Amino acid sequence: MQISTDQSLLLNKIAFVYGEHKAESILNQINDLAARHQATSTSNNAEKAKWVSERDVMLITYADSLHSGKQQPIETMNEFAREYLQNLFSAVHLLPFYPYSSDDGFSVIDYREVNPKVGSWDGIKELSQSFDLMFDGVINHISQHSEWFQQYLAGNPKYAGYFVEADPTADYSKVTRPRALPLLTKFETAAGEKFVWTTFSDDQIDLNFENENVLLEILDILLMYASYGAKFIRLDAIGFMWKKPGTTCIHLDETHALVQIIREVLDAVKPGTILISETNVPHKDNISYFGNGHNEAHMVYQFPLPPLTLHTISTGDSTKILEWANSLEETTESTTFFNFLASHDGIGVRPVEGILTKEQVQDLVNRVHNHGGFVSYKDNGDGTKSPYELNINYLDALSHPDEESKLKVKRFMAANGILLSMMGVPGIYIHSLLGSRNDLEGVEATGRYRSINREQLDYDSLSEELGQPDSLRSEVYQGFRTLLNIRRNEPAFHPNAKQSIQFVNEKLFTLVREAANGDQIFVVINVTNEPVQTAIPFVRLQWTEEQSLTELVGGETLSASDELALEPYQVQWIKRSGKAV
């Protein structure tokens, strides 16, 4: 099988990365690889190959976030999904479920296997029958305990070029460092002492994509994931794939070319597979992974949204988030943003460089400390460090642990109202859906700050709490149900539907989403702890005063001339059907 009828573009990309002398041989190997996967795959279900819509919402979870003594965790996740996710979520992002040695799954020992403590491929496939799935392609690095690295240490010539050897005396001051840890790690090998590149930890050994065999191996793995039910593939830490002396070693042209090669192969062999790039960096660098809008990632993580939403609710001022949202570029019809507030990681602050001042970032740092969280720092390369990530459960980041429960829920749902209103596909972390709190015992047990938001829950106890209407978990879950049931039926919330920011009052988050059929939804969210009154800007929206409007969350009928009275942290979605008069 050939990847495309005209292979010159793909050949040029391969030649750019690996040189013209190798390009044709590599292309032939890619074609052979594609043919093998094509021969073993069934035709894609037409529904699976569709682009995303307003009905798409993704749950982010570890496969073993829920435990029950009766069964394997993936079976418990299937049970939970049937009971609590049906008709609310379309997809589930299963964070790395492969055998691993550290970092809660991100130090992968074997890309092709399911961690037996989680379950089996059968359990994964069962979940894929009811939900689209996202798998992690943790392809920047692999565990030092993997067979690949162990064979490298033993001197197996096949793996001699799989990892990046480096001179420890060279100057690495320009290299972008995500963590305040040594960049190189010393290992004893059959060939003597070697220093190898370890961007994230000494247990996460960077793969050497200068070796074309690494690329071919990774392509084989990603195609396997698509065959096993992954409609979405998350390219973890993708910006660090290529190393070049004297550069930052992030977002290099070779990295973008590799993403383009991956995209072209998946498009040809597994059409409908959606690539999502994960680059926790400033906005301009982040959106560079859209490429030309058709040749790299289909989605990019909207990393400024979590810290900006936290800033907005913390200050009761929507100015910064609306200015940022107003500056967002239009995406193509086949690209969009992946929006989220919370995840297995902390709240990154690098993405708001140039948006929030250092003083405003420090205010967030202080808030996190006051609310029982932690802060991770990055090494700037000049002997200084700066905040990289806020490690805290998002609900506790928004509200002090001692605050009254009802107020916490209102404030939390206002923040998530912002998430669900924005252009793009929303992702909701399982601990947000379930109203979880800071897991300080987890931090103490592991010694890692990120454990604060990675608690494993007893499924029977969770079900009991969700069955109690006045429990925090139940109130949060029901709040999500209300908003999600509305959102998934409104074309104005299509990921590519038009978005126009409205500057009405700094105490309100206000924008308009417009569907292709002309339906409009005026989003109004009170980001303060006090009542706010405002008029609908009907002239600016080209609405007439007499038009009948529906406030979707409360179910009330309004007219454009009505004065809006919003309670603290109230979310209103005001719909006008059809074209403006």
Side-chain angles (χ1 to χ4, degrees):
M1 174 190 177
Q2 286 195 345
I3 297 299
S4 62
T5 53
D6 178 7
Q7 297 207 295
S8 59
L9 288 177
L10 181 56
L11 187 66
N12 287 340
K13 293 170 187 173
I14 297 170
F16 172 74
V17 178
Y18 296 105
E20 292 185 5
H21 63 293
K22 287 186 176 182
E24 190 168 343
S25 172
I26 295 171
L27 178 60
N28 289 336
Q29 292 178 80
I30 290 176
N31 283 329
D32 290 344
L33 181 67
R36 291 200 302 273
H37 279 275
Q38 190 68 31
T40 59
S41 69
T42 56
S43 59
N44 271 7
N45 183 300
E47 192 67 29
K48 293 278 187 184
K50 285 184 178 178
W51 180 235
V52 290
S53 76
E54 63 275 6
R55 302 184 74 81
D56 283 286
V57 180
M58 190 179 295
L59 181 80
I60 305 167
T61 183
Y62 283 100
D64 60 352
S65 287
L66 305 176
H67 280 261
S68 170
K70 302 173 291 184
Q71 57 200 2
Q72 292 179 308
I74 191 59
E75 294 170 345
T76 304
M77 184 57 64
N78 271 290
E79 185 177 332
F80 170 76
R82 288 190 296 270
E83 180 69 22
Y84 296 102
L85 304 185
Q86 291 280 11
N87 301 318
L88 293 178
F89 290 82
S90 63
V92 177
H93 173 196
L94 290 175
L95 289 155
F97 50 81
Y98 326 112
Y100 71 95
S101 54
S102 64
D103 200 18
D104 291 334
F106 285 89
S107 296
V108 179
I109 292 176
D110 190 338
Y111 291 119
R112 293 183 169 92
E113 296 296 330
V114 175
N115 185 349
K117 293 180 180 180
V118 166
S120 67
W121 279 116
D122 288 339
I124 305 290
K125 290 177 181 177
E126 180 185 346
L127 190 61
S128 74
Q129 299 306 305
S130 301
F131 299 88
D132 293 328
L133 298 184
M134 179 153 79
F135 292 0
D136 274 277
V138 190
I139 61 176
N140 176 73
H141 48 260
I142 195 169
S143 167
Q144 68 162 288
H145 300 282
S146 65
E147 184 70 10
W148 294 6
F149 192 65
Q150 290 302 307
Q151 288 296 316
Y152 161 79
L153 294 179
N156 185 331
K158 174 182 175 181
Y159 297 96
Y162 267 47
F163 305 99
V164 185
E165 296 178 357
D167 177 2
T169 65
D171 180 8
Y172 298 100
S173 60
K174 291 184 179 179
V175 176
T176 298
R177 303 303 318 284
R179 297 182 184 173
L181 294 170
L183 180 65
L184 306 179
T185 301
K186 182 175 68 173
F187 289 92
E188 289 295 332
T189 78
E193 182 179 278
K194 300 287 184 182
F195 284 82
V196 296
W197 203 288
T198 52
T199 297
F200 290 92
S201 80
D202 60 6
D203 189 37
Q204 293 166 303
I205 317 297
D206 286 52
L207 293 172
N208 181 20
F209 281 89
E210 284 193 54
N211 181 344
E212 65 271 20
N213 293 320
V214 171
L215 173 65
L216 292 166
E217 190 104 55
I218 292 300
L219 286 173
D220 183 47
I221 290 164
L222 298 181
L223 288 168
M224 186 198 82
Y225 289 169
S227 297
Y228 278 34
K231 177 172 180 175
F232 303 88
I233 295 178
R234 175 182 183 266
L235 300 178
D236 176 70
I238 200 68
F240 297 93
M241 281 177 75
W242 197 266
K243 281 71 177 176
K244 184 182 292 184
T247 74
T248 60
C249 296
I250 189 171
H251 316 312
L252 300 183
D253 291 341
E254 290 85 352
T255 294
H256 285 282
L258 288 169
V259 174
Q260 290 168 25
I261 292 168
I262 292 170
R263 166 74 180 265
E264 193 158 341
V265 172
L266 283 167
D267 279 352
V269 186
K270 302 292 180 183
T273 306
I274 293 173
L275 290 177
I276 304 185
S277 64
E278 188 268 338
T279 49
N280 190 358
V281 294
H283 180 73
K284 183 179 178 182
D285 295 323
N286 189 30
I287 63 171
S288 70
Y289 288 88
F290 279 140
N292 65 12
H294 302 280
N295 67 344
E296 291 192 36
H298 299 81
M299 298 186 200
V300 300
Y301 273 71
Q302 190 67 285
F303 277 106
L305 187 59
L308 282 176
T309 300
L310 178 59
H311 167 80
T312 299
I313 300 294
S314 301
T315 60
D317 189 336
S318 65
T319 304
K320 288 288 187 179
I321 195 170
L322 289 179
E323 288 177 347
W324 162 77
N326 196 47
S327 72
L328 292 178
E329 305 82 353
E330 287 190 14
T331 61
T332 65
E333 72 283 354
S334 58
T335 57
T336 194
F337 296 104
F338 184 72
N339 298 323
F340 72 107
L341 294 184
S343 74
H344 62 293
D345 288 339
I347 304 166
V349 294
R350 279 209 70 207
V352 291
E353 290 176 8
I355 302 174
L356 296 182
T357 65
K358 289 184 178 180
E359 291 74 21
Q360 289 168 328
V361 170
Q362 186 59 45
D363 286 342
L364 295 181
V365 168
N366 295 340
R367 182 182 187 87
V368 165
H369 283 309
N370 291 335
H371 289 202
F374 306 92
V375 178
S376 298
Y377 289 83
K378 74 179 184 73
D379 190 335
N380 295 324
D382 59 0
T384 65
K385 298 177 182 180
S386 56
Y388 174 74
E389 186 177 81
L390 311 177
N391 300 112
I392 191 167
N393 171 278
Y394 208 87
L395 189 152
D396 279 327
L398 289 167
S399 297
H400 192 278
D402 296 336
E403 281 188 282
E404 187 264 330
S405 179
K406 298 289 184 185
L407 180 62
K408 288 180 183 176
V409 174
K410 288 181 180 179
R411 188 179 286 132
F412 192 52
M413 296 319 300
N416 282 283
I418 293 174
L419 164 67
L420 295 173
S421 300
M422 291 285 292
M423 175 176 64
V425 173
I428 298 170
Y429 189 42
I430 190 168
H431 286 300
S432 290
L433 180 70
L434 300 177
S436 295
R437 306 289 302 282
N438 287 335
D439 181 19
L440 298 178
E441 291 182 4
V443 175
E444 185 175 354
T446 66
R448 297 191 303 270
Y449 290 163
R450 283 181 169 178
S451 297
I452 198 167
N453 204 24
R454 297 180 177 181
E455 184 179 6
Q456 294 183 338
L457 303 175
D458 177 77
Y459 184 55
D460 292 334
S461 300
L462 171 67
S463 298
E464 184 178 341
E465 285 188 76
L466 290 174
Q468 299 169 357
D470 292 334
S471 73
L472 177 65
R473 290 198 189 278
S474 179
E475 289 185 342
V476 168
Y477 173 74
Q478 293 302 328
F480 274 112
R481 283 191 66 92
T482 296
L483 295 181
L484 291 175
N485 276 322
I486 296 168
R487 188 190 189 280
R488 69 197 309 269
N489 291 304
E490 294 298 332
F493 287 129
H494 186 284
N496 298 105
K498 292 180 182 177
Q499 174 174 289
S500 60
I501 305 305
Q502 304 296 315
F503 295 93
V504 176
N505 183 324
E506 70 276 1
K507 297 179 179 179
L508 301 174
F509 176 87
T510 43
L511 58 78
V512 173
R513 301 294 307 280
E514 182 175 351
N517 67 1
D519 287 359
Q520 289 187 336
I521 293 178
F522 179 42
V523 174
V524 191
I525 301 174
N526 185 352
V527 299
T528 74
N529 194 24
E530 58 187 44
V532 178
Q533 286 191 316
T534 190
I536 298 175
F538 64 89
V539 174
R540 194 189 313 163
L541 301 179
Q542 296 183 316
W543 294 1
T544 65
E545 290 189 64
E546 297 78 19
Q547 275 183 306
S548 179
L549 310 172
T550 304
E551 201 288 287
L552 298 172
V553 181
E556 302 143 322
T557 300
L558 306 170
S559 71
S561 61
D562 286 343
E563 185 89 359
L564 300 179
L566 285 92
E567 297 175 3
Y569 303 115
Q570 184 175 0
V571 176
Q572 289 195 347
W573 286 339
I574 301 170
K575 179 181 179 180
R576 191 223 63 213
S577 298
K579 299 290 183 182
V581 176

